Each structure stands twice: as C-alpha cells, then as structure tokens.
Amino acid sequence: MTPCGETIRITRGRGGEVEVTGTIDAFARDILLRAGFLFLPALRGHWIRLPFDLGQGWENEHAAWAADMLTAARYPVHLDPGLRPHPPGQEAPAAPSRPPAMTADAPPSRPPRR
C-alpha cells in the first residue's frame, strides 16, 4: 500500500504525456517499470511517465495495464477515463480469429505415397 493510502493517479498531462503522481513505494515502482514507465530525476523527486511518441493506443494499453496491476496489488488507483483502451461498459474487442490448421495432406501436384 502507499503511505497513508494516498491514491496513485495515472493521467494524460497537458503536453499529451502519460504521467503518474502520488507517493510510490518500491513495489509500485516495480509494477510501473514493468508497464513501461520511466522514472526521470526532477527537482522534487522523480517524474514518472511513459515514453513519448509511441501512439495513444500503446500508451492507453500500458497505462490501463499498470492501473489494473496496481489495483490487483490493493493500491488505491485513479486512471484517467481517456486512458482506457475501450470505454467502460463495452466489451473488449474480440481477438482475431485464427486460420484453420494446416493438414498433413500431400500437395495436389504430388502423387500420394504408397
């Protein structure tokens, strides 16, 4: 848990960057690092953000993944609604269907083995 139960906020900043604010302990830091967040030195501690210019879809997926993992670890988390990959209440898009498996039949140009 964060000290004093402070909420970890994952938001899109004014410049379009996805950043994290709040008090982060070592475990939450590991989760955010695994989700792709960078910890950059700043005047007042660290600036925690996702890399720039990887596309909003990528940023939304990684921000939502981080929020889900932090929530699973029982951290109080606020995720900006605009960072969800799909709006709440809607189903996630279905995975693409897989092509049928290849068979072991001989190609039509070759005679079958005897």
Side-chain angles (χ1 to χ4, degrees):
M1 288 291 295
T2 57
C4 303
E6 183 182 347
T7 300
I8 297 172
R9 301 180 61 78
I10 303 174
T11 58
R12 188 172 301 278
R14 284 181 255 154
E17 73 283 347
V18 176
E19 56 189 7
V20 177
T21 56
T23 306
I24 307 295
D25 63 13
F27 186 62
R29 178 185 171 95
D30 289 344
I31 291 172
L32 291 169
L33 284 170
R34 178 146 318 217
F37 283 85
L38 305 172
F39 283 72
L40 303 169
L43 292 174
R44 296 181 185 149
H46 286 93
W47 182 27
I48 308 166
R49 66 168 177 82
L50 284 174
F52 295 129
D53 298 330
L54 294 175
Q56 282 193 357
W58 185 89
E59 292 171 347
N60 291 356
E61 287 176 17
H62 286 258
W65 183 86
D68 291 343
M69 291 305 296
L70 289 167
T71 301
R74 298 183 185 248
Y75 287 94
V77 178
H78 169 77
L79 178 66
D80 220 1
L83 292 174
R84 285 274 172 213
H86 53 279
Q90 284 187 343
E91 293 287 325
S97 62
R98 300 179 84 177
M102 299 297 291
T103 61
D105 294 337
S109 61
R110 270 186 22 196
R113 286 188 172 178
R114 295 181 198 228

